[in-house]
Structure formats: C-alpha cells, structure tokens
Amino acid sequence: MAAFVEWFEKGKADLAGNWSDLFLKEGRIPKFADASGHVVPIPGAPVVERADFEQILAAQTRKDFRFVMEDMHGSEGPRELDYAASLFGLRFRCNQFHYSGGVNALVMRKLNEQIPEFSTLGLPMEVALPFFSRSAGIIIFAGATGSGKSTSQASGLIAQLHRAIHILTIEDPVEYLIPVDQNAEVTQREVGVDSLSFSMAIRAALREKPNIIMVGELRDAETIEAATIAANSGHLVLATTHASTASEAIRRILESVPSENRAGLQNILADSLVAVIAQKLLPRADRPGKVLAYEIMTATSAVRADIVTGRYANLPTQIQQGREEGMNLMEECIKDLYRASRITEETAYAFAPSPDRLRKIMEY
C-alpha cells in the first residue's frame, strides 16, 4: 500500500503557498520546501513506504521508457535515477537515490504546468529577451539548483514560438513541455532515453537543422566542447551551469576542460558568447515567497579579451562598468532589492557573492 501517494491525492491541497519540493525517505515522515524555501514536515502526512517509490516510478511521464526499482542497482553498483513524473495533475522532476547503506529516498521538484511569461520572471525584458532572437552564439544561465534557470530558458523559448524555426531541447529529464501547436517546430529529447549523453545529442543536433539548441546542463568537458562548437557553427545555444556569478561560470566552464584544450576553448567561447545570466532566488521580506536577483554579463570586446587571456578576476569590473551595454552586477541587483524593501539587510549580505563589494555599493 502506497500510504503517502494515496494521502497526497487529497492532501496536496493542504500544502499552503507556492511550495516547490517534496522530500521522501523510506520509513520517515515526508517533508516539503515551503514558499520561503524552508524544509518542514508535511502536516498530517503518513510515513513513506517502499510502495510509494514504486507507485511514483509508475507515474513516469515517458511511455516508451520507464525506470523500475531494480534500476537502482546498475551493473556497476548503486545508481541514481532522474525522471519526470505526473501525480494527480502535478508534474515533477524526480531524483531517486539511496542513502545510509541502501535506504530509498526521493526529491521531487514541482514543475509548473504553465510556463510563465518572460515579463513575470524579474529579468529586465529589454536586455534579456532579445538574446533569444540571436541567430547564433551561446547564452549561459548560471545558478544553484532551484534558482530558476530552466524556467528562464523555457520562458524565453515560449517567446520564440511564433517564428518558423526548429527548437531542439536536450534535457535530463525533460522538465517543461513546450507547446508544439505553434509556428516553431519543437523537438524535446531526454538524455538516457532518447540519447546516451548530452555531448552525443549535441553532436547529433548539428545534423538535425535546429535554430536553437537548449542544453540542460554543461556537466562535463565533452558537453562543454560540443556546445561551444555548436554555438560557433551558426546555432543559438542555451545552456546552464552551476555557478553563483557570471565570472565564476566562465571560470568553471573553462577549467572543466583539460589544460591542453583550454586555450582553444577560450577563443571559441569568447567568439561565440552572447551573454551570461546568473540567478539567485532570495526570500522576500515584503510577502511570502522568493524574488529573483540576477547578474548579466554581455560579450563586449573587453569581456571577450579577458576570456581569451583567462583574466576572470577582471570580469566583475567589466560588468560594473558595462551598465550602458545592459550589464548588471549581482550586488547591484541585491542592493536595489534591499532599497525597495523586498529583502532584508541580513538576506542581502547572506546572498551577495562578495559582501565586501556589496558594502561598498551600499554606501553610494
């Protein structure tokens, strides 16, 4: 009997506010992340059982390929499963894993059925949205898990559906389902199901005539090299990476490849870069929920020169001096949120990449 799943069918209505994640561990009371990001027990929910994991696996959205519990033990040992599932009208991105010697656990990120309009995200429309209309290059979205990177990508793509183009997404798993009934041709591929890896899918994409390629994550050197080559070959590539600032994103991407290949990648990335958008979701002070703080770095000639020469430490200064080109430092955005009373001073300094830089900015 799947006690939690059966309870969730009716009990989900009791989860207050704009909650984001479910945390399930076998033999324990489930928890959820509330609108402010606090992980708290779900009121009235029963203890999670093994049958709950089996029933959630049975709710996978893919019909042509499905994981089962036995897949948690691969030929090389224990493994993690990434998949999308649909439960009682809600879609989730799921990561299932073992801990403490084999206990089942699952984190389920709730996905919005409706992709939000770009104007509601909190990014500057006049600066960020035109990036999606570029004919070629790479746009990098940086941030921690849950910072809204996938939402920003999907919202930007929705705004391009009126165009007669081919949009190809490569994800693990597919998160937002992009409408296919408009002018744009949309193809969504899932790593592990439709292709063996991000890098293989990107290389194959070059023979599938896409105008825009969305890459779920720049997770290894092969994927990074394939994505930058695609961007340098006349395609617009949207990609994500885990970094808190634009300069850190560039540094991490370049340092992920072997040193002997780095100089070539620096040149390719500098030539093809459109922009880096770094995102953080901060707890609000004015009402329950979170608010977006962002950093935008566009590929000016000075930024390109610093990328080619590996002077990553110079990039924050380039951003600070590039406001006329649409650039905005994360600390500047956090300062604006604080002065608008949307976040507290404590939150401002806790989330600032450089508290010292924020302190100096606050003085002006």
Side-chain angles (χ1 to χ4, degrees):
M1 177 178 178
F4 172 74
V5 172
E6 290 190 8
W7 174 90
F8 186 73
E9 182 176 7
K10 296 180 179 178
K12 68 180 186 299
D14 297 329
L15 297 180
N18 187 26
W19 59 276
S20 61
D21 298 83
L22 299 176
F23 298 83
L24 311 183
K25 291 183 176 180
E26 187 174 356
R28 297 182 61 178
I29 293 294
K31 296 184 177 183
F32 76 115
D34 64 17
S36 297
H38 299 127
V39 179
V40 295
I42 299 176
V47 168
V48 178
E49 304 172 350
R50 177 185 171 87
D52 289 304
F53 296 93
E54 294 173 342
Q55 191 156 335
I56 292 169
L57 279 169
Q60 291 170 76
T61 55
R62 293 299 298 246
K63 303 302 180 187
D64 53 345
F65 180 92
R66 288 172 173 267
F67 291 116
V68 294
M69 288 294 287
E70 288 70 21
D71 289 321
M72 292 293 292
H73 299 277
S75 59
E76 298 178 357
R79 57 177 295 194
E80 298 80 28
L81 306 181
D82 289 306
Y83 57 90
S86 179
L87 280 177
F88 312 119
L90 298 178
R91 291 186 66 247
F92 295 90
R93 181 185 69 197
C94 303
N95 179 262
Q96 187 166 329
F97 57 96
H98 285 156
Y99 76 103
S100 297
V103 181
N104 288 305
L106 177 64
V107 177
M108 304 171 65
R109 163 60 53 86
K110 184 177 67 172
L111 302 176
N112 292 322
E113 283 296 320
Q114 297 296 322
I115 301 173
E117 293 286 338
F118 200 85
S119 59
T120 67
L121 300 180
L123 290 170
M125 282 273 293
E126 72 283 357
V127 175
L129 190 56
F131 294 153
F132 291 83
S133 299
R134 298 285 289 269
S135 61
I138 185 167
I139 307 168
I140 300 168
F141 292 82
T145 300
S147 61
K149 303 185 298 295
S150 297
T151 301
S152 295
Q153 286 183 317
S155 295
L157 289 179
I158 286 294
Q160 310 306 310
L161 293 180
H162 67 283
R163 300 166 57 196
I165 59 174
H166 181 199
I167 297 172
L168 173 65
T169 77
I170 303 166
E171 305 170 73
D172 184 17
V174 170
E175 294 192 26
Y176 289 100
L177 299 177
I178 300 173
V180 296
D181 59 351
Q182 300 189 39
N183 285 343
E185 179 68 24
V186 178
T187 304
Q188 295 190 261
R189 305 191 69 202
E190 186 167 313
V191 172
V193 177
D194 301 312
S195 184
L196 293 177
S197 69
F198 277 111
S199 57
M200 292 181 68
I202 296 169
R203 292 191 186 97
L206 301 183
R207 300 186 295 276
E208 293 158 6
K209 200 172 174 52
N211 300 92
I212 301 176
I213 305 171
M214 190 187 88
V215 180
E217 183 182 349
L218 297 175
R219 62 172 51 166
D220 53 45
E222 284 189 344
T223 302
I224 291 167
E225 291 175 347
T228 51
I229 289 172
N232 213 38
S233 303
H235 307 84
L236 180 64
V237 176
L238 317 178
T240 72
T241 189
H242 294 285
S244 61
T245 65
S247 58
E248 184 184 352
I250 295 296
R251 179 184 63 79
R252 286 193 175 188
I253 287 170
L254 292 173
E255 292 182 356
S256 295
V257 303
S259 55
E260 60 270 20
N261 298 342
R262 197 167 299 157
L265 182 60
Q266 285 173 321
N267 286 305
I268 294 175
L269 183 58
D271 286 343
S272 59
L273 184 68
V274 173
V276 181
I277 300 174
Q279 302 188 179
K280 295 174 182 282
L281 288 176
L282 281 54
R284 300 185 70 119
D286 54 344
R287 57 183 170 86
K290 297 182 180 181
V291 63
L292 179 69
Y294 62 85
E295 178 169 285
I296 297 178
M297 182 179 75
T298 56
T300 62
S301 57
V303 166
R304 295 182 195 276
D306 284 339
I307 293 174
V308 168
T309 55
R311 297 194 299 266
Y312 315 129
N314 287 358
L315 294 175
T317 301
Q318 302 289 6
I319 297 170
Q320 203 163 12
Q321 296 174 349
R323 294 182 72 90
E324 291 186 2
E325 285 81 17
M327 293 199 253
N328 195 65
L329 202 62
M330 180 69 74
E331 288 84 357
E332 290 279 1
C333 184
I334 289 176
K335 177 203 71 175
D336 293 340
L337 292 172
Y338 168 68
R339 290 187 174 173
S341 299
R342 300 177 75 183
I343 61 173
T344 65
E345 183 177 12
E346 180 183 6
T347 295
Y349 282 100
F351 282 85
S354 172
D356 289 339
R357 185 183 296 126
L358 176 61
R359 190 170 292 107
K360 293 177 182 176
I361 289 173
M362 288 280 208
E363 293 174 356
Y364 292 97

